[in-house]
Amino acid sequence: MNGLQLLGTGRCLPSRRVTNEDFARTLDTSDAWITERTGIRQRYFCAEGETAVSLAVGAARQALEDADVQPGQVGLCIAATFTADRRTPALACEVQAALGLPQTTLCLDINAACTGFVAALETARCLLLGGQLAGPYALVLGAEKISSLLDFSDRSTCVLFGDGAGAAVVRLDPQAPWAAVFGTRGDGQVLHGGGPEDPYLAMDGRAVFRFAVETVPVCIRAVLDKAGLTLDAVDHLVLHQANSRIIHSIAKKLEQAPARFYENMQRYGNTSAASIPIALDEMRRAGQLCPGQTVLCAGFGAGLTWGGVLLRA
């Protein structure tokens, strides 16, 4: 099958913790309003001197240590991000320099917004299968500094997002199950930002909700069909952590208990490409994600894009 085995994980959050009550002091909102609609209670924003690179490096160091993999063994570094500190060099290249990864390491960024980490996993698997990399291990990152794109006078967006990074070290495993499904519905209006004419992130929340609840259950079923598995054979379901109501609606469509779907948006908000690897690291360090277990990860977001992958812990 030549799937991916998850060998180690890490996460890094910035130092500035911002609660719903903090927003209520300056915006027409409340903790109850935000929590009821999103499930989010707090998030972290970068303070002065904290960057997407510094978050990515912190998460990557933890993941390498957890996997007991040395920098010299890494043949590939992929960073999923839409908020890199600079347009060039790639965030992955700056991680390579900071960690001392070999100069033979292939480093690149992927911008698929909230689907980015899932897309990076499939990209890593394909490149590892190609047999042309200088090392057998891939370092896959999701890192975002979304606060740099937020309009803090717009309560419809600024309360939803957070900064952070998550990382995973993976390698090919011929015995590991694997299936991947992706899709794109090009739309530059529903969720966009960061351009010369629209520097801030803007979103049609209702449209994003409908999009996610419509596409993600179909995506999950397609992944399972490819793998020849049922939901009962999957140990963990880890979705992009955008909104608890979205996850609960997806669970209902799949006729699953919401408790089967991991949730941590209450602690971090929506961290885009970082949300799934942050969740995987939390689960691993809490003893919930154990070696040999099967995990189905699904992302959805700006693009509009969606994707799902199945991997082994």
Side-chain angles (χ1 to χ4, degrees), residues 160-270:
L160 303 177
F161 295 94
D163 300 338
V169 175
V170 297
R171 70 177 174 192
L172 290 176
D173 180 349
Q175 302 304 317
W178 182 265
V181 171
F182 295 95
T184 303
R185 184 188 302 164
D187 190 319
Q189 296 303 313
V190 171
L191 180 51
H192 61 93
E197 297 179 358
D198 55 349
Y200 297 123
L201 205 61
M203 179 175 67
D204 181 338
R206 291 183 179 179
V208 170
F209 187 98
R210 290 193 299 270
F211 154 72
V213 173
E214 171 193 341
T215 58
V216 176
V218 174
C219 176
I220 289 173
R221 291 190 184 104
V223 170
L224 293 169
D225 287 346
K226 273 193 172 184
L229 298 175
T230 65
L231 271 172
D232 291 340
V234 176
D235 296 298
H236 301 286
L237 294 157
V238 183
L239 307 190
H240 165 52
Q241 303 291 300
N243 182 307
S244 63
R245 292 172 67 187
I246 288 177
I247 291 180
H248 292 176
S249 296
I250 290 170
K252 184 176 181 180
K253 278 209 165 187
L254 292 170
E255 299 181 338
Q256 298 291 308
R260 288 213 64 198
F261 294 78
Y262 190 77
E263 291 188 41
N264 68 1
M265 78 287 292
Q266 65 272 23
R267 292 185 286 279
Y268 307 116
N270 180 343

Side-chain angles (χ1 to χ4, degrees), residues 10 30 58 61 76 79 87 128 151 161 200 222 236 239 276 280 295 307:
S30 67
R61 289 190 196 281
L76 174 66
R87 295 195 179 191
L128 288 167
D151 177 357
F161 295 94
Y200 297 123
H236 301 286
L239 307 190
I276 290 176
L280 292 174
V295 188

Side-chain angles (χ1 to χ4, degrees), residues 89-227:
L91 189 152
C93 293
E94 298 196 73
V95 170
Q96 179 269 339
L99 295 178
L101 303 181
Q103 292 187 17
T104 52
T105 304
L106 173 58
C107 298
L108 69 153
D109 289 358
I110 287 180
N111 178 356
C114 306
T115 311
F117 183 76
V118 174
L121 285 173
E122 170 65 354
T123 303
R125 176 178 172 270
C126 291
L127 287 167
L128 288 167
L129 279 171
Q132 302 302 307
L133 300 176
Y137 301 100
L139 175 61
V140 184
L141 305 159
E144 304 284 13
K145 187 182 176 182
I146 304 175
S147 59
S148 63
L149 296 181
L150 295 180
D151 177 357
F152 286 98
S153 66
D154 179 8
R155 73 168 187 171
S156 69
T157 55
C158 69
V159 302
L160 303 177
F161 295 94
D163 300 338
V169 175
V170 297
R171 70 177 174 192
L172 290 176
D173 180 349
Q175 302 304 317
W178 182 265
V181 171
F182 295 95
T184 303
R185 184 188 302 164
D187 190 319
Q189 296 303 313
V190 171
L191 180 51
H192 61 93
E197 297 179 358
D198 55 349
Y200 297 123
L201 205 61
M203 179 175 67
D204 181 338
R206 291 183 179 179
V208 170
F209 187 98
R210 290 193 299 270
F211 154 72
V213 173
E214 171 193 341
T215 58
V216 176
V218 174
C219 176
I220 289 173
R221 291 190 184 104
V223 170
L224 293 169
D225 287 346
K226 273 193 172 184

